[in-house]
Amino acid sequence: MLSAFLPGLLLGLSLIVAIGAQNAFVLRQGLRGEHVLAVCLTCAVSDALLILAGVGGFARAADWAPWLETATRYAGAAFLFAYGLRSFLAAARSGNALMPADAVPASLGATLATCLALTWLNPHVYLDTVVLLGSVSTQFAANKGLFALGAMTASFLFFFSLGYGARLLRPVFARPGAWRVLDVGIGIVMVTIAATLIA
C-alpha cells in the first residue's frame, strides 16, 4: 500500500506547496477568518477531481482538442491579471479598510466563485494534477488508485493546514501595513503568473 500511496502523497505535496494564485487566496481567507472551511474544501475537492481525471487517463485531452490548452491559458491569464490589479487596488486603500475586523466580508457565493475561478482557470493546476500526476501514476499499474489517494490526501492536508494555520499569523496582520504588503505580494504573484502564461 505505502509503495504507491506514499509517492502520491509526497509528489502531491511537492507540487502544491509552491505559492500560487490559489494558495495566496486560501492564505488571505485564513488570515481574515472568512469562509475558511468552504474555501479549503472547495480547493481540496477540486484538486481531487482533477487528480482522478489525470489518473483515469484524461491527461491526453489536449491531444483530442488541441485548442483547449490555448483557450484555458488565455482565460486563466486574463482572470489572474484582473485579480492581481484588484489586489493592488486593495493595497492602495486606507489602512483601516485592510483590517480584518473592519473589512466587510465577501458573501459565501462571491468567495466560492473566486476560489473556483482561481482553481479551474489556472492552467498550472491542470499541468500539475492532470498531466504530471496522471503520467506518473502509470508507473503504479494496479495501484494507481492508491497513488491517486496519496495525492488527494496531500491536497486536503495542505489546504486545511494553510487555511486554518493562517490564524497563527494574525498578530502580525493586526497592523494595516502588513495587509498592504500581503495584498501587494498577492498582486505580484497573480500578475507574474498571468504574464508567464501569455509568454
Side-chain angles (χ1 to χ4, degrees):
M1 175 182 172
L2 289 179
S3 62
F5 179 86
L6 196 56
L9 178 71
L10 295 176
L11 181 57
L13 283 174
S14 68
L15 291 173
I16 203 171
V17 163
I19 188 67
Q22 188 185 45
N23 296 351
F25 181 75
V26 174
L27 175 62
R28 195 172 200 284
Q29 292 303 117
L31 286 168
R32 289 189 177 274
E34 295 175 7
H35 312 299
V36 180
L37 175 62
V39 167
C40 293
L41 196 57
T42 298
C43 290
V45 170
S46 294
D47 259 20
L49 292 174
L50 289 165
I51 290 166
L52 282 176
V55 173
F58 292 102
R60 292 170 291 184
D63 293 335
W64 304 330
W67 53 267
L68 189 61
E69 188 274 334
T70 302
T72 305
R73 182 159 45 94
Y74 281 102
F79 178 82
L80 292 173
F81 186 74
Y83 194 91
L85 290 181
R86 181 174 171 268
S87 294
F88 288 133
L89 289 174
R93 293 183 198 144
S94 64
N96 289 336
L98 293 173
M99 294 294 287
D102 298 335
V104 178
S107 68
L108 177 61
T111 300
L112 291 183
T114 301
C115 183
L116 288 169
L118 286 171
T119 301
W120 293 91
L121 290 179
N122 183 358
H124 290 301
V125 172
Y126 293 94
L127 291 175
D128 289 348
T129 57
V130 178
V131 178
L132 184 56
L133 285 171
S135 61
V136 172
S137 71
T138 59
Q139 300 176 21
F140 296 93
N143 291 320
K144 280 167 54 170
L146 287 173
F147 177 84
L149 182 62
M152 287 185 279
T153 301
S155 291
F156 276 85
L157 285 174
F158 177 78
F159 284 121
F160 279 89
S161 296
L162 180 62
Y164 285 100
R167 70 181 65 186
L168 300 175
L169 296 174
R170 280 183 190 163
V172 175
F173 286 91
R175 295 171 293 147
W179 281 98
R180 287 195 186 96
V181 171
L182 177 66
D183 278 323
V184 169
I186 290 173
I188 291 171
V189 168
M190 303 290 185
V191 171
T192 301
I193 294 173
T196 59
L197 290 177
I198 295 172

